[in-house]
Amino acid sequence: MRELYDQDLQDIVNGAAFLGSGGGGSLELGYQLASLITCPVLLKDVEELDAQEWGAVILGISAADASLPDNLRSSSASPKVLLNKEIFRNLKATQQNPIETLFATFADLEKALQMKNILDRNLSYTLTVEIGTANLIAAMLTANVRKSPIIDADGAGRAVPELSLSTYCWSDIDIYPSTLANIKSEEEEIKALIYAKTYLIMARLTERIIATEEFGSQGVMATYAMHGQTIRDGKPVITGTITKALQIGSILRQAKQQQQDPIQALLHFLNNGCSGNDQNAFLLFQGEIFAVEEENNDRFQSGTLTLKNGHQQVRVSYLNENLIAWRNGKPIAMGPDLICYLTPDGIPLTNADNLKDKKGHELALIGLKAPQELRQDSIVNGFMDLVAFLGYKGKYIPIEQLQK
């Protein structure tokens, strides 16, 4: 088990912003949440978990209602639990302590597990649903308050638009019970406890609950309770992903300190150990931010960013996260592979970082192979449903094939 301190947290926020693939929350939000943490943070490897040591996932969620783009809306056949990156910023706006909300929701799940005799002890670790500045640091904050570790793993190796695109959803882990809390003031606090045997039932109940006026279409959820044996045998997580975010942030910081090119330093790190034409990361394009067309609400961002270099242009289409990049009308990368932003001076940006205000600024577009766990058919099909909404009707083509 490792101890993480302030510099480590800053590096993790920067690495998570890069791995967020354009989503996952803004840099500013990540720094704000990290500032609430009392160091050290305990980071524990999966291999260090005892067989009967229990933990769970904590995350922000949104309702898939009519205010969102068509393909993000729910249906009776396909209910959705969207991952909410801005909810923790909203907690500050309502003057509600995010620490108390996260802690209480996680503690409610603990009590529910004990009441059902599923758990005869306390939950002893926290898991993040994704790698992004919001949900990752919120999970880290929850673990820190409980004086317990966060596990060096997640369900995507990147940020994702919805829970069904995570490895948790397609594992054999029981999803019941799950706990929900709204983000309104203490006087208007509402909690919910859901017992559902399948993800579809849980998603259908969750969206109905959080779509109520009392929840305001968003909330905090604790779910997917599991023990060490399940994690090791069932492999519901992608391991080492928080360490990867830490390493990326450190590489970018050191490159700037040593007056090296952060883009090349990061590409070298990501492709270290690759042989021949076998690459993990690709510099897809580098140019100035030419245009940003977006539609925002309090819970979701969708739009297109255009980069220009001379007569060449690349368009990136996103639904919170970047899902497809186009050049000359042809895709050059698509989800679940990562499509990430990095400035020439080594600052990772996301679509929540007011890119409209950065028109004319130079930006590198870096593509990264998705973890193999994210390339299973069920998750790829989910990504392709979203990509189809953005105009690409073909099959998934891995980034390493598109970049040949």
Side-chain angles (χ1 to χ4, degrees):
M1 188 150 55
R2 289 168 285 172
E3 294 184 345
L4 304 176
Y5 292 89
D6 288 337
Q7 185 60 70
D8 300 315
L9 297 185
Q10 296 298 307
D11 288 341
I12 287 172
V13 169
N14 285 321
F18 178 81
L19 291 173
S21 190
S26 68
L27 267 178
E28 177 192 7
L29 180 56
Y31 294 146
Q32 287 177 353
L33 290 172
S35 72
L36 299 174
I37 291 175
T38 301
C39 290
V41 172
L42 303 176
L43 182 65
K44 194 168 189 175
D45 291 338
V46 166
E47 292 76 14
E48 296 178 286
L49 285 172
D50 292 337
Q52 293 304 313
E53 194 174 359
W54 282 76
V57 180
I58 186 104
L59 65 151
I61 61 172
S62 292
D65 60 24
S67 69
L68 299 179
D70 290 345
N71 221 42
L72 285 170
R73 298 178 192 173
S74 185
S75 67
S76 57
S78 180
K80 297 177 183 290
V81 176
L82 303 183
L83 303 193
N84 191 323
K85 331 294 177 168
E86 294 300 304
I87 187 172
F88 305 108
R89 188 190 305 278
N90 294 337
L91 282 171
K92 187 175 181 181
T94 59
Q95 297 183 336
Q96 185 173 352
N97 189 332
I99 298 176
E100 292 178 3
T101 304
L102 292 163
F103 181 85
T105 308
F106 202 82
D108 288 342
L109 177 61
E110 185 175 71
K111 293 173 187 175
L113 290 162
Q114 291 167 345
M115 287 174 58
K116 296 292 284 186
N117 295 320
I118 298 171
L119 184 66
D120 61 359
R121 64 196 72 189
N122 291 335
L123 295 173
S124 61
Y125 58 85
T126 304
L127 288 152
T128 180
V129 66
E130 62 180 356
I131 299 297
T133 62
N135 277 311
L136 167 56
I137 306 303
M140 194 173 283
L141 182 57
T142 306
N144 183 242
V145 173
R146 291 174 60 90
K147 295 181 171 54
S148 62
I150 185 169
I151 302 304
D152 189 8
D154 82 303
R158 52 162 293 163
V160 291
E162 55 184 275
L163 185 57
S164 65
L165 299 180
S166 74
T167 53
Y168 297 117
C169 185
W170 299 99
S171 68
D172 293 328
I173 305 170
D174 288 333
I175 199 165
Y176 70 96
S178 299
T179 53
L180 299 173
N182 66 355
I183 59 165
K184 298 191 177 183
S185 64
E186 187 173 349
E187 294 76 16
E188 300 177 288
E189 183 181 51
I190 301 290
K191 297 180 179 182
L193 174 61
I194 296 177
Y195 289 100
K197 291 289 187 179
T198 68
Y199 169 80
L200 287 178
I201 296 173
M202 184 278 288
R204 189 172 294 118
L205 292 172
T206 297
E207 67 177 7
R208 290 176 182 175
I209 293 170
I210 63 174
T212 62
E213 181 180 351
E214 289 77 9
F215 271 79
S217 295
Q218 54 189 356
V220 174
M221 169 180 268
T223 187
Y224 285 119
M226 65 192 86
H227 55 57
Q229 194 67 47
T230 296
I231 292 179
R232 286 200 292 272
D233 293 348
K235 303 187 186 305
V237 297
I238 302 170
T239 61
T241 50
I242 298 178
T243 291
K244 187 173 183 178
L246 172 62
Q247 291 172 329
I248 287 173
S250 177
I251 290 291
L252 295 175
R253 173 173 51 82
Q254 292 179 44
K256 288 185 283 186
Q257 291 173 345
Q258 298 167 11
Q259 297 184 322
Q260 298 175 347
D261 182 345
I263 296 171
Q264 291 304 317
L266 182 56
L267 287 170
H268 176 76
F269 167 74
L270 294 171
N271 286 318
N272 186 35
C274 296
S275 58
N277 295 324
D278 181 24
Q279 289 181 249
N280 291 320
F282 306 83
L283 179 59
L284 301 175
F285 195 76
Q286 190 165 346
E288 67 176 33
I289 299 175
F290 180 68
V292 180
E293 302 172 8
E294 60 184 1
E295 297 180 12
N296 293 334
N297 64 28
D298 291 339
R299 295 170 286 117
F300 219 86
Q301 294 180 307
S302 62
T304 301
L305 175 139
T306 302
L307 296 176
K308 183 176 181 181
N309 188 336
H311 297 294
Q312 295 292 320
Q313 291 187 8
V314 163
R315 292 186 299 113
V316 181
S317 299
Y318 58 88
L319 295 171
N320 261 5
E321 285 70 37
N322 296 333
L323 293 177
I324 187 165
W326 308 83
R327 185 171 184 170
N328 299 327
K330 297 181 180 180
I332 58 174
M334 64 185 71
D337 296 321
L338 287 69
I339 304 168
C340 312
Y341 302 139
L342 189 65
T343 69
D345 55 349
I347 300 174
L349 296 177
T350 75
N351 295 310
D353 285 312
N354 300 315
L355 298 184
K356 272 190 173 181
D357 296 339
K358 297 176 174 62
K359 286 183 182 179
H361 292 208
E362 190 172 349
L363 196 63
L365 195 65
I366 296 175
L368 186 61
K369 287 169 62 174
Q372 197 58 42
E373 296 92 334
L374 221 60
R375 287 183 167 185
Q376 57 181 287
D377 289 346
S378 52
I379 294 178
V380 167
N381 291 340
F383 270 98
M384 295 313 297
D385 285 344
L386 296 178
V387 172
F389 172 74
L390 297 172
Y392 176 75
K393 308 300 183 183
K395 295 182 179 179
Y396 167 63
I397 306 175
I399 191 171
E400 61 270 27
Q401 294 182 25
L402 289 171
Q403 293 301 308
K404 281 184 178 179

